[in-house]
Every structure is written in structure tokens, then in C-alpha cells.
Amino acid sequence: MSQLNKSNRINIRLSNEDKELLEAAAKKNRQSLSSYIINAAIKQADRGDYIEESTDSPYKCICSKEIMEFYYSAENYVLSCSNDLEKVKELYLSTIRKNIEEANKFANKLVLVRKQLDDDLTFFMDSDPAVDSREEVILAYPGFKAIRYYRIAHELYLLNEKLFARIISEEAHKDTGVDIHPGATIASPFFIDHGTGIVIGETTMIGQRAKIYQSVTLGALSLAKGSKMKGEKRHPTIGNNVTIYAGVSILGGDVVIGDHVTIGSNVFLTESIPANMRVLNSKPQLLVQERK
């Protein structure tokens, strides 16, 4: 087994049970060994254990529990629950990358993120008549939770720590039902109501005071070229003071939605809309029939 571990790029810490499975698989059928390794990795991920990379990797280890501990430390700071930036930097150095200059840059950015989230929170209070307190928004609104995940992950993305940014954004996706790529550019304040089913792609740009409701997709028009489209503007640009109601799909990197536009529910858009417009589907014909 030691020879196998040396030849693999990724080494996995295995339980005794997993080791026995691997040894049995190797004796019985070497071709099935990789599937046992994958299954073992999944089991370890479920337990929050480590997946270690080879010695030439810039990352010492990848551990979801440690990454989320780092995230929650940053979240506590931006929500003003803590003023301990030194702890955030310490966890950055132990979890993300041992680069003090980068850790300082991230910590300094959190000061701005704190201000952005305070503006987001005020915008939630102004936008939703169901809100009774700021604490309610922080503790019980998935839209606001998704935004704070995004704003912290986005700063990691800008430091080119894209893997860790994606891990945090996927945690947000699981936790809130909102899928915001950390590469998206979203100004503050920003409002997400309900949230479930929202998808915001990597090259999306959203201006100030935008409001988005559930089941909205800001996506790419086509991914037929696959990885060849990497680095291209694939997702729409949304202006300031835009409201996008439930079930809307806006697709394409050339699409620009102007300022002060309102887009009604269930609209499918692949073209730009100038400022100060309202976009609605024509009223459907309602059919009422007697039950038989």
C-alpha cells in the first residue's frame, strides 16, 4: 500500500476499515482500486477529515471544517460580533495560505465588507415590510446569509484563492439554496428576497440597490465552447435600482439591463433593456372550465 500512496498525487488519510477495503480490492482486481479510493475520499469528506495534496502543491491540506472555521471567524468580524482581525489573519495563514501579505490584504478588505453588509442590512430593512428587526434578518433571512457568504468568498476569489472561495460559496448554496459564484461583481446595497433557486454566474455584474426574488437565473447563453470561453464575459450586467421578480432568466454576456428597470415574473431575456423600462410578459389567456 505504501507504494500505491507514493505514486498517487493525492494521499488520503484512511480508516482501518478503508485500508482493508483497498487491500482486498488490490488483491482481487487492481482496476477497481480507484473506485475504492474515491469512495474512501467521500467517506472522509463526510467526516470532515483531510485530503492532503502532494508536497509540490501550494496547499498544505484541504479540510472543509477548517475552512468553515476560518469563514465563521471572518463572518463574526463583518457582522460586528468580533473585532479580532488578528484571529482572522491567524486562521488565514493556517488554513488558506502561509502568506502574511495576502492575509493582511484579506483582513483589510473585511473592513470594507463590514460596511457593505451594514448597507445591505439596512436595505433589507427598507425593502421588506415583514422584517421586525435587524437581528431577524441576520439570523433568519437566507438571502442575507447568502450575501455575506458571497462577500467574504469574493474577496478570496480576488486574491486568486479560487478553490477556497468556491468551497465557501458551495456551503452557501447548500445552506440557503442560493448559488452565487464568488467571481460575480455585486455592488452594495443588494437585496435577495426568499432566495431559493437563485443562480448568479461568475461574470455577472450587478449595480447598487438591485432587488432579486426567488428562482432568478443570471446565466450564460451557451456553454457549447466549454473551457474555451474561460475569461470571457458570459453573464449579464444589471444596472442600478433594478428589480427582478420571481422566475426570470437573463442570459448572455452581452446583455445589459439599464438603471431603474423592473422585470416581471417568468420573463426570459437574451437582449439588452434600456434604462427606465418595465418588462412584462403579455397577459396569458385564463381558461376557467366547469369540473365534470
Side-chain angles (χ1 to χ4, degrees), residues 48-205:
D49 291 338
Y50 293 89
I51 298 176
E52 295 183 349
E53 293 197 5
S54 62
T55 54
D56 62 344
S57 169
Y59 304 109
K60 180 182 177 183
C61 67
I62 300 171
C63 174
S64 59
K65 281 188 176 180
E66 287 190 357
I67 293 167
M68 293 315 298
E69 181 185 356
F70 159 75
Y71 167 79
Y72 291 127
S73 175
E75 183 187 58
N76 280 337
Y77 177 82
V78 297
L79 291 178
S80 301
C81 300
S82 165
N83 285 314
D84 194 354
L85 271 178
E86 290 304 315
K87 181 180 180 181
V88 175
K89 288 192 283 187
E90 178 184 332
L91 288 172
Y92 189 103
L93 292 170
S94 64
T95 305
I96 306 300
R97 190 184 295 270
K98 290 186 179 300
N99 183 320
I100 188 63
E101 182 179 352
E102 193 175 275
N104 285 330
K105 284 181 181 179
F106 179 80
N108 291 335
K109 284 293 186 178
L110 287 187
V111 178
L112 173 62
V113 171
R114 174 185 275 191
K115 175 62 169 61
Q116 289 175 324
L117 282 172
D118 188 60
D119 291 342
D120 294 329
L121 184 55
T122 300
F123 195 38
F124 268 75
M125 298 289 295
D126 294 341
S127 300
D128 190 348
V131 174
D132 289 323
S133 67
R134 293 169 71 90
E135 291 77 13
E136 180 186 7
V137 175
I138 293 170
L139 295 172
Y141 271 58
F144 185 71
K145 183 180 286 190
I147 291 170
R148 64 182 184 255
Y149 271 113
Y150 156 75
R151 295 212 183 279
I152 292 170
H154 180 64
E155 297 306 328
L156 286 175
Y157 184 92
L158 293 179
L159 288 170
N160 207 34
E161 299 295 350
K162 295 182 179 180
L163 174 59
F164 296 102
R166 286 303 302 271
I167 290 170
I168 291 171
S169 65
E170 184 54 32
E171 191 69 24
H173 187 194
K174 291 188 293 184
D175 197 12
T176 67
V178 178
D179 186 0
I180 305 176
H181 194 288
T185 302
I186 304 176
S188 179
F190 180 47
F191 174 74
I192 292 175
D193 200 8
H194 303 295
T196 306
I198 287 175
V199 177
I200 299 176
E202 179 184 21
T203 61
T204 303
M205 301 179 70

Side-chain angles (χ1 to χ4, degrees), residues 15-25:
S15 66
N16 289 334
E17 180 185 356
D18 292 330
K19 288 179 180 178
E20 290 174 3
L21 286 172
L22 284 170
E23 289 169 354

Side-chain angles (χ1 to χ4, degrees), residues 217-229:
T217 297
L218 305 178
L221 186 59
S222 172
L223 294 177
K225 296 180 182 178
S227 61
K228 293 180 181 179
M229 297 182 69

